[in-house]
Amino acid sequence: MAAAPVWSVDPRTGNPREQVAVEATAEEVDRAVRAAHAVRASLADRTVRAAFLRTAADLLAEAGEHVIEAADAETALGPARLTGELARTAAQLRAFAEVVDEGAFLDIHIDHEDATRTPPWPDLRRYKIPLGVVAVYAASNFPLAFSVPGGDTASALAAGCPVVVKAHPDHPATSELCASVLRRAAAQVGLPEDVLTLVHGFEAGVELVRHPLVSAAGFTGSVRGGRALFDAAAARPAPIPFHGELGSLNPVVVTEAAAAERGEQIGAGLAGSMTMGTGQFCTKPGFVLAPAGPTGDRLLKALTEAVSDTEAGVLLDHRMRDAFLAGVRERAELPDVDAPVTPGAGGEHTVAAGFLTVPARLLTTEGPHDALLEECFGPVTVVARYTSEDEITEVLSRLPGNLTATLQIATEEADGSAAALLAALTPLAGRVLVNGWPTGVAVAPAQHHGGPYPATTSTSTSVGATAIERWLRPVSYQTTPDALLPPELREDNPQGLPRRVDGRRS
């Protein structure tokens, strides 16, 4: 049976552009994984790894015009958005090069022998080593920053792990182009090109997570697809870590005082955030608790005006468009749900932004309105109108885990009077914002992009310096002669790495 073709498709028309590749067979996935596994020792030198990441960033920037053109043709995200994403992607690669150079990610601890302790301590030396081959599942909505050259790949390579990427079907040509850039970067610094390989196809993704030489996986996508792969990773004879980002509602709470102080500003800000990228950001605010009454009405008036002025946009593919239209239709038909701006079809290939409103009391207990507490991918949000703070906390208690949670407060509430609401939001998300909007994830050391299930399947972050920790495991050496120790753990610290020795930083 001939392998299925992989087509690049124009989401603006739904028409195929070109055949890019064919879906990988089980044998081809096996060859890709074995090739990656065979070259893992080549990534042992941290200096070479850092040079590889910087070279990849440079070559990606040099190829920027072609990369952006390919990505726009396959995603309709637009040159401006993709130019920013390319810059972010290159910055991520360079940031992880700095992490590798600095060496703190190795988390080195040395405890010298101490016979005076009870029980006595032997000489112990601990650091972290790479897990092995990492499978990366590319995201649809970020064809660069969360795909072939994105954060999962960059952090895994920084950890010293070869990567096999399963390309997303929405941008296969972009994936091939970016993979060729990274493989060329590897060759330029003297690494085997197979430190990064690329496969296509749904079945290839399943085979990849099941392969016995794959040691961990990173995924960004839907709850359904991510959960299936997560279960497959756990069901292996030797289960592996599966770091999946699956879905998020990203709730927002607007206090009565905040709505009274700046309701118009909050309404306009919400519109900009929930329609950004045609509502296809994983951090889109998809659920808002706003006060009933005149103050909330002013907020909704501003939201209505801003959303009404938003042009129809193209989603990443027609399958997502169909799911969006079905999802908003199902929600809009629920009793007591209104649509001040009706979300739906904007044209044959586009969607129009909108939002729905519902009394918050209908969400305080299980019922038919629970669909409003589930993510709907695209330019739509749900505004639940509350009449008391008790309704806020009751609804929050029913929400699933999220990447973000936002609290909009008034100036007078910054003195601590909003602390109870902030405390109620904190268990729900990995990043909690006050008086901001969640669309926009800074690539910073203190960033955390993750959250309770189903936002993610682990407690780790996929953005920021600590994302590297996902692909490492600790190992301790006990009473080991210095000459046999890895250089990082030797007494004289020949590499000058940050370490904690006998409990003290050195």
Side-chain angles (χ1 to χ4, degrees):
M1 181 177 178
V6 174
W7 288 90
S8 172
V9 176
D10 182 350
R12 294 179 173 95
T13 64
N15 296 327
R17 297 177 57 248
E18 61 176 331
Q19 182 180 339
V20 173
V22 295
E23 295 187 357
T25 64
E27 292 76 15
E28 289 166 335
V29 172
D30 179 62
R31 283 200 294 272
V33 174
R34 291 186 182 280
H37 186 262
V39 301
R40 65 196 189 282
S42 68
L43 289 168
D45 189 317
R46 288 188 303 111
T47 302
V48 175
R49 291 210 305 270
F52 171 34
L53 293 168
R54 291 191 175 97
T55 303
D58 292 343
L59 294 183
L60 200 60
E62 289 175 13
E65 182 179 347
H66 299 297
V67 170
I68 290 167
E69 181 181 9
D72 181 51
E74 293 187 307
T75 67
L77 290 173
R81 149 71 194 273
L82 290 166
T83 297
E85 187 178 336
L86 179 67
R88 172 206 173 113
T89 305
Q92 285 180 159
L93 289 161
R94 295 189 180 102
F96 279 111
E98 293 178 7
V99 169
V100 173
D101 280 339
E102 195 253 351
F105 74 97
L106 294 168
D107 195 24
I108 298 172
H109 291 255
I110 295 176
D111 293 316
H112 290 107
E113 181 180 3
D114 187 347
T116 67
R117 292 182 177 269
T118 305
W121 282 10
D123 186 275
L124 286 165
R125 295 162 189 251
R126 179 186 185 272
Y127 79 147
K128 291 182 178 178
I129 62 173
L131 289 173
V133 178
V134 169
V136 169
Y137 294 80
S140 63
N141 56 343
F142 282 85
L144 306 175
F146 282 84
S147 292
V148 174
D152 283 352
T153 297
S155 57
L157 292 170
C161 297
V163 173
V164 181
V165 181
K166 206 290 283 184
H168 196 280
D170 278 355
H171 42 80
T174 308
S175 298
E176 286 284 345
L177 178 55
C178 290
S180 69
V181 169
L182 265 64
R183 288 171 65 85
R184 186 154 48 93
Q188 283 195 16
V189 299
L191 288 171
E193 291 186 347
D194 285 339
V195 294
L196 182 128
T197 55
L198 183 70
V199 296
H200 297 267
F202 175 81
E203 290 300 328
V206 176
E207 292 291 336
L208 192 55
V209 80
R210 291 175 176 167
H211 198 287
L213 295 181
V214 167
S215 298
F219 172 92
T220 303
S222 68
V223 173
R224 181 180 178 185
R227 182 55 193 256
L229 291 171
F230 174 71
D231 290 345
R236 292 168 37 135
I240 59 171
F242 183 89
H243 301 285
E245 179 190 319
L246 311 188
S248 185
L249 198 59
N250 303 305
V252 177
V253 174
V254 182
T255 67
E256 181 88 36
E261 180 182 83
R262 50 192 177 85
E264 293 82 1
Q265 179 186 342
I266 293 172
L270 172 59
S273 187
M274 54 83 63
T275 62
M276 186 180 290
T278 323
Q280 296 175 110
F281 278 49
C282 53
T283 51
K284 178 200 75 177
F287 182 78
V288 183
L289 281 157
T295 56
D297 291 344
R298 288 200 299 274
L299 186 158
L300 255 64
K301 182 175 183 293
L303 177 62
T304 298
E305 292 172 354
V307 173
S308 297
D309 288 341
T310 302
E311 293 184 3
V314 177
L315 295 185
L316 293 161
D317 63 37
H318 280 58
R319 175 183 55 82
M320 292 183 189
R321 180 178 182 273
D322 292 343
F324 172 75
L325 296 179
V328 296
R329 184 168 55 248
E330 173 195 354
R331 289 161 172 79
E333 290 173 352
L334 291 168
D336 298 306
V337 171
D338 293 322
V341 182
T342 303
E348 185 180 359
H349 303 291
T350 59
V351 296
F355 69 96
L356 308 174
T357 63
V358 65
R361 59 179 171 78
L362 297 178
L363 302 173
T364 57
T365 57
E366 185 176 350
H369 292 83
D370 283 1
L372 300 172
L373 303 180
E374 298 173 2
E375 180 185 17
C376 186
F377 192 75
V380 64
T381 196
V382 173
V383 181
R385 307 290 300 274
Y386 65 83
T387 59
S388 69
E389 197 161 303
D390 286 344
E391 280 187 357
I392 297 176
T393 54
E394 287 173 18
V395 173
L396 292 179
S397 71
R398 302 195 61 240
L399 295 187
N402 296 272
L403 294 170
T404 73
T406 300
L407 180 61
Q408 296 286 347
I409 62 173
T411 304
E412 66 192 49
E413 296 176 293
D415 62 359
S417 58
L421 285 175
L422 195 66
L425 286 172
T426 297
L428 296 178
R431 178 163 58 104
V432 182
L433 300 87
V434 177
N435 291 351
W437 297 106
T439 37
V441 184
V443 184
Q447 183 60 269
H448 187 84
H449 188 65
Y453 185 87
T456 52
T457 59
S458 72
T459 59
S460 301
T461 180
S462 61
V463 178
T466 53
I468 196 173
E469 295 172 0
R470 297 174 295 168
W471 322 119
L472 300 162
R473 71 172 181 88
V475 60
S476 290
Y477 290 87
Q478 181 171 328
T479 59
T480 304
D482 202 63
L484 295 179
L485 286 169
E488 294 85 352
L489 298 180
R490 290 176 187 168
E491 191 67 21
D492 61 353
N493 193 11
Q495 299 178 3
L497 292 165
R499 313 194 295 187
R500 185 175 288 276
V501 179
D502 296 328
R504 296 181 179 179
R505 291 286 181 190
S506 67

